[in-house]
Amino acid sequence: MTTPRIAFIGAGNMAASLIGGLRAQGMPAEAIRASDRGAEQRAKIAAEQGIEVFAGNAEACQGADVIVLAVKPQVMKDVCLDLAAHLQDGQLIVSIAAGISSASLENWLGPRAVVRCMPNTPSLLRLGASGLYANARVSAAQRQQAERLLGAVGLALWLEEERLIDAVTAVSGSGPAYFFLLIEAMTASGERLGLPRETAARLTLQTALGAARMALDSDVDAAELRRRVTSPAGTTDAAIKTFQAGGFEALVEQALKAADNRSAELAEQLGQ
Ligand SMILES: NC(=O)C1=CN([C@@H]2O[C@H](COP(=O)(O)OP(=O)(O)OC[C@H]3O[C@@H](n4cnc5c(N)ncnc54)[C@H](O)[C@@H]3O)[C@@H](O)[C@H]2O)C=CC1
Ligand SMILES: O=C(O)[C@@H]1CCC=N1
């Protein structure tokens, strides 16, 4: 596959992690451009990544094969309406914005090949998890380009239906925050049980890392791994029974439903 030329519109956190991932995979700096309206952000990304960075979005897009829309959802409409007249035939639009449908993007940009993605912040460490949806105008080669882009920062999985982007947002887009909440709560409880805060925090974090690694590498599922930690009438059993008496699973389901609903609601509001 020849190296596609990629332009990032908005050079914030998510764009920086994607660019870092591509560069680490050996994509030459000359193949990547970016634009940002903030002078400080432009200087930062140019210094960190060695790429050319523009103040004008249209300028960055000239001659690009792939245009990654990486601005906040609230400014997406204006950015697209300004960009529409400057796009060239055959350019692939990749949007990483939460809650902006491919139909809205096509309303603002005209009929286009659009890949909509939902990445997450561990992409910064190349441990991201993304769901991708391609509209009917996207070619097989363009699918590969989008997969390479998101695959450079972690796991990238295709979805057959765009509505499932809301579910991906609920599971992995917002997901890091759920694990951080558990880490916060376990650390605070450990401290209340008498551990020094630093000790409670380090034990919690290493346990989270070890559990994720075990679940990833194991040939049995998480439920079986949990059973193997849980001795009959032992300490884990006491804790798990307490979680379940408090409705833990039902609460997780409610929380993910709330995120899924909110994602659909935002798409409704921001897509006008
Ligand atoms: N942070 C997260 O957990 C996730 C974020 N996303 C999506 O990624 C996108 C970017 O998010 P972040 O990188 O976290 O935001 P960010 O605020 O770090 O980056 C956005 C950048 O866009 C620039 N910008 C604003 N208006 C502009 C304009 N008119 N033209 C050019 N540049 C402009 C800003 O100066 C900023 O540097 C959002 O749409 C968000 O929904 C997706 C998944 C997860
Ligand atoms: O909280 C949000 O709306 C965004 C989408 C996924 C992660 N952050």
Side-chain angles (χ1 to χ4, degrees):
M1 191 177 17
T2 55
T3 303
R5 288 156 300 175
I6 305 185
F8 286 83
I9 306 306
N13 290 318
M14 293 302 291
S17 63
L18 289 167
I19 295 168
L22 290 170
R23 297 281 292 121
Q25 277 200 342
M27 185 171 281
E30 303 74 57
I32 306 171
R33 293 165 153 205
S35 61
D36 200 286
R37 68 169 180 198
E40 227 172 87
Q41 197 57 29
R42 288 199 296 276
K44 183 168 178 273
I45 198 111
E48 281 173 6
Q49 309 286 355
I51 60 167
E52 201 172 357
V53 188
F54 298 85
N57 295 338
E59 239 177 313
C61 291
Q62 273 209 336
D65 300 300
V66 181
I67 296 169
V68 184
L69 301 174
V71 293
K72 290 285 187 196
Q74 290 74 10
V75 299
M76 191 60 92
K77 182 177 182 180
D78 289 345
V79 165
C80 287
L81 293 176
D82 284 347
L83 214 50
H86 304 280
L87 296 181
Q88 293 153 304
D89 287 346
Q91 289 179 315
L92 170 67
I93 305 295
V94 175
S95 166
I96 62 165
I100 303 284
S101 70
S102 62
S104 298
L105 292 167
E106 285 197 275
N107 275 342
W108 303 329
L109 294 169
R112 296 271 155 204
V114 174
V115 170
R116 192 178 157 198
C117 311
M118 175 43 58
N120 65 7
T121 51
S123 303
L124 289 164
L125 310 176
R126 281 171 226 135
L127 290 171
S130 308
L132 282 69
Y133 168 79
N135 77 0
R137 298 178 207 280
V138 175
S139 69
Q142 287 175 324
R143 274 175 89 99
Q144 278 188 340
Q145 289 170 345
E147 199 173 316
R148 178 174 178 195
L149 174 72
L150 275 302
V153 291
L155 178 72
L157 300 178
W158 287 102
L159 304 166
E160 290 309 316
E161 293 173 69
E162 184 166 3
R163 66 176 182 86
L164 293 176
I165 287 271
D166 294 329
V168 171
T169 309
V171 173
S172 51
S174 299
Y178 316 155
F179 287 101
F180 296 141
L181 183 65
L182 186 61
I183 288 167
E184 287 170 65
M186 282 177 63
T187 301
S189 300
E191 200 181 2
R192 279 194 286 274
L193 290 172
L195 293 171
R197 184 167 182 81
E198 170 74 6
T199 303
R202 289 180 64 194
L203 290 173
T204 300
L205 289 175
Q206 185 67 19
T207 303
L209 181 66
R213 184 84 268 161
M214 270 184 92
L216 269 173
D217 292 350
S218 175
D219 49 11
V220 296
D221 65 9
E224 174 57 23
L225 290 174
R226 172 166 59 82
R227 277 192 286 274
R228 289 181 190 176
V229 186
T230 313
S231 315
T235 62
T236 316
D237 188 47
I240 298 284
K241 279 188 175 138
T242 307
F243 276 131
Q244 288 175 336
F248 183 73
E249 282 102 337
L251 189 61
V252 170
E253 191 176 335
Q254 273 175 42
L256 266 69
K257 267 194 183 147
D260 180 88
N261 285 341
R262 184 63 189 142
S263 177
E265 213 173 77
L266 282 173
E268 191 71 11
Q269 283 167 13
L270 296 167
Q272 308 301 313

